[in-house]
Amino acid sequence: MSQNTQQLMLFCTAVVLFVTACLYGQQNVRVLSDALNHLVKTTAEMEGRLNTTLRISEPTSYSGAEVIHTVRQMTGTTVSVEVDGNAYVIDPLVNRRGTVPVQLATSYRPEFIRSEAGELLKIAFWKEASTP
């Protein structure tokens, strides 16, 4: 068998495999599209009977150490951090000894301020009253 004949057979085999893969991919897309359309139809028919259980759990209190860690981690982002109404920015690369005046054993209540789109804009920490 000549060299040209072998190359022609390999090329034809590659073309057949490529076309087969394309048809298989098109069939998979069609099956997924039909499944999604069926899911949308079923969900629309169940209107009023669905109850979502997704809840975002936010911690109810942070320790002072967690507040300091959060301030350090949020530096350099667009999210500002406030502690008892005062904004703090500590860049650990510039000032490794910079601190935030918090009491490590005190609990702080976080308040997450978000935009209408749900983007986090600011985190405010407020010192909780201690009980004797």
Side-chain angles (χ1 to χ4, degrees):
M1 195 178 285
S2 72
Q3 182 79 15
N4 290 337
T5 308
Q6 286 179 343
Q7 288 181 350
L8 178 64
M9 289 175 63
L10 287 174
F11 177 74
C12 290
T13 304
V15 168
V16 168
L17 288 175
F18 177 74
V19 170
T20 304
C22 289
L23 291 175
Y24 181 72
Q26 184 181 14
Q27 179 187 4
N28 282 344
V29 168
R30 188 178 319 121
V31 168
L32 287 174
S33 178
D34 290 342
L36 286 174
N37 288 336
H38 179 69
L39 178 66
V40 168
K41 180 182 171 190
T42 304
T43 303
E45 291 172 354
M46 294 180 67
E47 185 177 347
R49 291 182 281 171
L50 292 177
N51 185 18
T52 59
T53 59
L54 177 63
R55 302 226 186 335
I56 298 174
S57 62
E58 295 177 353
T60 56
S61 66
Y62 278 36
S63 69
E66 290 173 315
V67 171
I68 291 173
H69 179 73
T70 302
V71 171
R72 287 183 179 266
Q73 291 299 315
M74 289 300 169
T75 296
T77 65
T78 59
V79 178
S80 63
V81 180
E82 290 183 1
V83 179
D84 290 329
N86 299 321
Y88 292 97
V89 175
I90 295 179
D91 190 351
L93 298 176
V94 174
N95 184 5
R96 295 181 63 89
R97 297 181 186 247
T99 60
V100 179
V102 298
Q103 298 171 356
L104 296 179
T106 305
S107 293
Y108 289 85
R109 179 181 45 84
E111 181 180 340
F112 300 95
I113 292 94
R114 300 183 181 276
S115 67
E116 291 179 4
E119 179 183 1
L120 184 62
L121 301 174
K122 179 172 70 171
I123 303 174
F125 293 100
W126 300 96
K127 188 184 300 185
E128 293 182 333
S130 60
T131 55

